[in-house]
Amino acid sequence: MLLKTFGWSFGVTIAGLLFALYFWGWEGFAVVAILSVLEISLSFDNAVVNAGVLKRMNAFWQKIFLTIGILIAVFGMRLVFPVVIVAVTAGVGPIEAVELALDDPDRYSEMVTDAHPAIAAFGGMFLLMIFLDFIFEERDIVWLKWLERPLAKLGRIDAFSVGVALVALLLTATTVAHQAYQHGGLHVDKTETVLLAGLAGLLTYLVVGGLSGYFENRLEEDEERAAEAEEEAQAEAKRTGKEQTVVGLAGRAAFFLFLYLEVLDASFSFDGVIGAFAITNHIFWMALGLGIGAMYVRSLTIYLVRQGTLDDYRYLEHGAHYAIGALAVMLLISIRWHLPEVVTGLVGVGLIAAAFWSSVRANRLDASSGGSDGSGNGSSQKPVSSGV
């Protein structure tokens, strides 16, 4: 099971490190290895949340997530995205941006740093909406009762999470963005940029999440009529000699969930891409290191789904969403103040570790008490899955 799930990740790791060693020596080997660890540590919470969404897909779409999805994640976010940032902010073409990255890496790094306020605002708002929609939703299993139950009551108000997010964006734009950090320790007014980028992140979440939720609801309605549809499909198949299935709606639902996962991965990738510039300006080292890390995030997501880890450890998903909320806040704060990458990584891992330990303790209580789930509910109740 382990080799089957992580086989591609192991293979890409070996190939990537050997490639770096052959072309750039031990220095390239070490930097690529460090970047791989950085990406995994910063994106572990991403894997947990991804698993909550991915477990609703069938095996076909899970394979799509690991094939086409990884191409988007590696080449789109870890290689193309930094180039696009420079091309847009510097007003040059993509080819010129690549040449700039190769010929003048210091200038390339400066341009990406200057673009950070817009990146942080977009990613911060998208991740904040994920956290708010989770924390304001009533669910059977709660982790921090004193916090989650009162907030769930507030969530009964229509569009409450959107209102909170807009307030957070306005506060960020009028305070933090007024003196946004730029290369060389300078601070400039990025209020308008942060407002527009933040609204774009919020709108992206609402559109993609709304579409995935719509088709998921449609799929659930059709599943209620699955028995009748199956009988009719089998009869038609015998008559015509062709298989009749209801894959169409499942495909549409899975497609928008897949789209949601890709946007989610992109938002999580922002801090990893920016953080990589603190280690190296070499564009190919960055692509290799972050790409290897992205492979492990994908494999870890599949592992969590197939092993049923989220169901076995009931609070793990809660911890991941708290880590998302913390990352969103840190992204918004980083518009003005630089935060060490080790801080963002340790906060997320720490929250997930706390949730994992709480789950282990609850499972032990279940075993000793004969069925209580540790949160005042029966153990037969399943956690509410994450997503939109």
Side-chain angles (χ1 to χ4, degrees):
M1 174 64 182
L2 188 65
L3 183 60
K4 180 180 179 181
T5 305
F6 288 89
W8 278 102
S9 297
F10 294 152
V12 170
T13 301
I14 295 172
L17 292 177
L18 289 177
F19 186 86
L21 179 63
Y22 179 80
F23 284 97
W24 301 295
W26 287 107
E27 181 184 4
F29 178 91
V31 171
V32 169
I34 292 172
L35 287 172
S36 302
V37 175
L38 172 69
E39 177 69 9
I40 295 171
S41 64
L42 290 177
S43 301
F44 183 79
D45 48 355
N46 186 12
V48 176
V49 176
N50 281 354
V53 180
L54 195 65
K55 68 182 181 181
R56 289 176 276 174
M57 295 181 180
N58 58 26
F60 170 78
W61 278 99
Q62 290 181 5
K63 290 180 180 178
I64 293 294
F65 179 71
L66 278 179
T67 52
I68 297 176
I70 197 64
L71 291 176
I72 297 173
V74 174
F75 293 102
M77 288 307 304
R78 276 73 176 183
L79 179 58
V80 177
F81 180 63
V83 174
V84 171
I85 290 177
V86 175
V88 172
T89 56
V92 298
I95 297 178
E96 294 176 84
V98 173
E99 293 176 349
L100 182 63
L102 296 175
D103 300 334
D104 193 355
D106 292 334
R107 178 58 180 158
Y108 182 83
S109 177
E110 291 176 359
M111 289 182 174
V112 175
T113 302
D114 289 347
H116 177 70
I119 299 169
F122 181 94
M125 291 305 297
F126 187 91
L127 296 178
L128 182 62
M129 280 300 303
I130 295 174
F131 169 72
L132 293 177
D133 273 356
F134 180 86
I135 201 67
F136 288 137
E137 180 183 354
E138 291 184 331
R139 58 191 68 253
D140 294 327
I141 294 179
V142 295
W143 180 28
L144 305 178
K145 301 177 184 178
W146 57 272
L147 177 63
E148 295 177 19
R149 286 178 174 168
L151 291 179
K153 293 180 180 178
L154 291 175
R156 297 173 184 173
I157 303 173
D158 290 340
F160 189 74
S161 59
V162 176
V164 173
L166 288 174
V167 170
L169 177 60
L170 287 174
L171 289 175
T172 301
T174 55
T175 56
V176 176
H178 188 63
Q179 289 186 322
Y181 178 81
Q182 302 286 266
H183 72 273
L186 301 176
H187 290 82
V188 298
D189 189 353
K190 291 282 187 176
T191 301
E192 183 178 351
T193 299
V194 168
L195 273 175
L196 291 176
L199 288 174
L202 177 61
L203 181 61
T204 301
Y205 174 87
L206 294 176
V207 171
V208 176
L211 288 173
S212 64
Y214 169 74
F215 283 104
E216 186 182 3
N217 291 334
R218 287 285 302 274
L219 178 60
E220 291 176 355
E221 293 174 2
D222 285 300
E223 286 176 347
E224 295 177 356
R225 301 186 293 271
E228 297 179 7
E230 181 67 20
E231 292 178 2
E232 295 177 1
Q234 290 177 356
E236 183 69 14
K238 290 179 180 180
R239 187 178 67 83
T240 62
K242 298 179 180 179
E243 259 187 58
Q244 303 292 323
T245 65
V246 290
V247 177
L249 284 175
R252 281 187 292 174
F255 170 75
F256 283 106
L257 286 175
F258 170 78
L259 181 60
Y260 172 76
L261 282 174
E262 291 307 312
V263 177
L264 178 64
D265 176 80
S267 296
F268 273 99
S269 302
F270 291 149
D271 63 322
V273 172
I274 297 301
F277 281 98
I279 299 174
T280 181
N281 295 327
H282 199 297
I283 187 172
F284 294 114
W285 293 0
M286 290 175 56
L288 277 174
L290 298 180
I292 291 172
M295 285 293 297
Y296 280 96
V297 172
R298 284 296 201 275
S299 297
L300 182 60
T301 299
I302 291 294
Y303 181 81
L304 292 174
V305 172
R306 293 176 177 172
Q307 292 293 103
T309 305
L310 295 182
D311 293 331
D312 294 338
Y313 301 98
R314 66 199 68 171
Y315 304 131
L316 196 58
E317 205 166 2
H318 293 69
H321 279 84
Y322 280 108
I324 289 175
L327 178 57
V329 172
M330 288 187 289
L331 274 174
L332 297 177
I333 291 175
S334 69
I335 293 174
R336 181 171 179 177
W337 296 284
H338 173 70
L339 299 177
E341 288 67 36
V342 66
V343 174
T344 59
L346 289 178
V347 168
V349 172
L351 287 168
I352 293 175
F356 176 80
W357 176 242
S358 296
S359 300
V360 171
R361 292 182 58 190
N363 289 340
R364 291 176 179 173
L365 288 175
D366 285 355
S368 61
S369 62
S372 173
D373 69 355
S375 61
N377 303 289
S379 61
S380 61
Q381 293 173 314
K382 295 182 179 181
V384 178
S385 61
S386 68
V388 186

